[in-house]
């Protein structure tokens, strides 16, 4: 499994854009990059997944450079409710036979300040 | 939409007792994962099942066992409980269609060993 490295914590003011970068130097060809969000005492929640370039959905954008050795989760105009821990995961998609390995590393604790 | 159901939500046991946690995945999901999350810790992968067979094993103690039944629900059995087993236990499920890395997490079971 590719090892991921993220900042331990980040602070941001409300309304700002937040970018969290994850390093995954030994990412494999078949690996996808997935980000999860976790609030205290709740299960992690899927945010976004991507393979290369840029992916955008209604809550976030994911930027992946050509070498795929890192990725950046971008949260536009954060609010207090975005205060949570964010995890970057790297692994193949679940194509059955238990091929998807959902392993969490050290996440980034984002604190949004009023 | 149906989500992952875990029961019980809270459980208090004494040292050396046994506990059984249950997980009901989203209908049609064929993969189930179990995680342990201690206070202030990141989710630690314990074990996963695909189509009722164990597919991957993480840092699960020998005192713990799990299985997935014919109706796809899963149970985590924990014996000889120790104080250090006090944690939130999450179950997640996913669909092995090869299209996504998204897994859906339950609300968790908070186990307290006294």
């Amino acid at each position: 499994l590719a090892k991921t490295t993220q900042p331990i914590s980040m602070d941001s003011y409300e309304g700002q854009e937040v970018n969290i970068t994850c390093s995954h130097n030994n990412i494999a060809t078949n690996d996808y990059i997935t980000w999860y969000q976790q609030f205290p005492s709740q299960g992690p929640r899927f945010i976004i997944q991507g393979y290369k370039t840029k992916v955008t959905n209604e809550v976030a954008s994911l930027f992946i450079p050509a070498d795929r050795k890192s990725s950046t989760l971008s949260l536009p105009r954060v609010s207090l409710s975005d205060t949570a821990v964010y995890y970057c995961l790297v692994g193949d998609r679940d194509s059955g036979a238990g091929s998807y390995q959902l392993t969490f590393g050290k996440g980034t604790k984002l604190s949004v300040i009023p | 939409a149906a989500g992952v159901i875990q029961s019980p939500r809270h459980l208090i046991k004494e040292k050396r007792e046994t506990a059984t946690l249950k997980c009901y995945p989203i209908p049609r999901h064929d993969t189930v994962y179990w995680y342990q999350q201690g206070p202030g810790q990141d989710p630690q992968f314990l074990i996963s099942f695909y189509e009722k067979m164990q597919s991957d094993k993480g840092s699960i103690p020998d005192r713990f066992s799990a299985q997935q039944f014919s109706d796809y629900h899963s149970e985590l059995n924990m014996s000889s409980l120790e104080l250090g087993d006090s944690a939130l236990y999450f179950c997640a499920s996913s669909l092995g269609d090869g299209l996504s890395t998204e897994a859906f997490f339950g609300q968790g079971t908070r186990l307290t060993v006294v």
Side-chain angles (χ1 to χ4, degrees):
Chain A
L1 288 175
K3 179 178 168 57
T4 59
T5 304
Q6 308 173 224
I8 293 176
S9 64
M10 293 181 69
D11 292 337
S12 175
Y13 287 102
E14 271 192 297
Q16 288 190 328
E17 178 185 76
V18 170
N19 296 308
I20 307 174
T21 297
C22 176
S23 297
H24 29 79
N25 290 319
N26 58 340
I27 188 170
T29 303
N30 292 336
D31 285 345
Y32 278 69
I33 299 149
T34 310
W35 286 80
Y36 281 80
Q37 174 194 55
Q38 187 179 29
F39 298 112
S41 299
Q42 293 187 26
R45 184 174 71 100
F46 173 90
I47 300 174
I48 196 167
Q49 73 169 40
Y51 184 79
K52 62 180 178 181
T53 63
K54 178 184 174 182
V55 180
T56 297
N57 62 21
E58 62 276 7
V59 298
S61 295
L62 179 59
F63 298 91
I64 305 167
D67 66 5
R68 305 199 327 120
K69 293 185 183 299
S70 67
S71 59
T72 298
L73 174 73
S74 180
L75 305 173
R77 297 180 299 282
V78 294
S79 63
L80 295 178
S81 62
D82 292 318
T83 294
V85 178
Y86 292 82
Y87 293 95
C88 163
L89 283 72
V90 173
D92 199 356
R93 290 178 299 186
D94 183 4
S95 55
S99 59
Y100 181 39
Q101 293 177 310
L102 192 59
T103 301
F104 290 80
K106 299 289 184 185
T108 299
K109 185 173 182 179
L110 172 65
S111 298
V112 180
I113 308 163
Chain B
V4 176
I5 307 296
Q6 291 188 244
S7 68
R9 293 294 309 280
H10 302 273
L11 190 59
I12 300 175
K13 290 285 186 178
E14 294 188 354
K15 284 195 309 182
R16 293 179 289 278
E17 284 193 319
T18 62
T20 297
L21 309 185
K22 296 184 178 182
C23 170
Y24 297 87
I26 292 172
R28 292 180 53 236
H29 281 195
D30 47 25
T31 306
V32 167
Y33 312 82
W34 283 98
Y35 292 85
Q36 177 191 60
Q37 188 170 27
Q41 303 293 312
D42 304 297
Q44 294 298 310
F45 171 70
L46 293 178
I47 195 167
S48 63
F49 292 87
Y50 169 73
E51 283 291 345
K52 293 154 280 185
M53 299 287 289
Q54 180 183 308
S55 59
D56 203 3
K57 200 170 183 180
S59 51
I60 184 169
D62 292 339
R63 301 177 288 108
F64 294 6
S65 65
Q67 57 181 324
Q68 187 177 29
F69 295 86
S70 58
D71 64 352
Y72 292 93
H73 95 273
S74 179
E75 294 183 4
L76 178 66
N77 298 293
M78 311 159 71
S79 63
S80 302
L81 287 169
E82 302 173 355
L83 295 178
D85 296 329
S86 295
L88 260 175
Y89 290 82
F90 291 108
C91 169
S93 72
S94 65
L95 178 62
D97 59 2
L99 298 178
S100 173
T101 56
E102 182 172 6
F104 296 81
F105 283 77
Q107 296 278 56
T109 294
R110 184 176 294 280
L111 172 66
T112 303
V113 181
V114 298

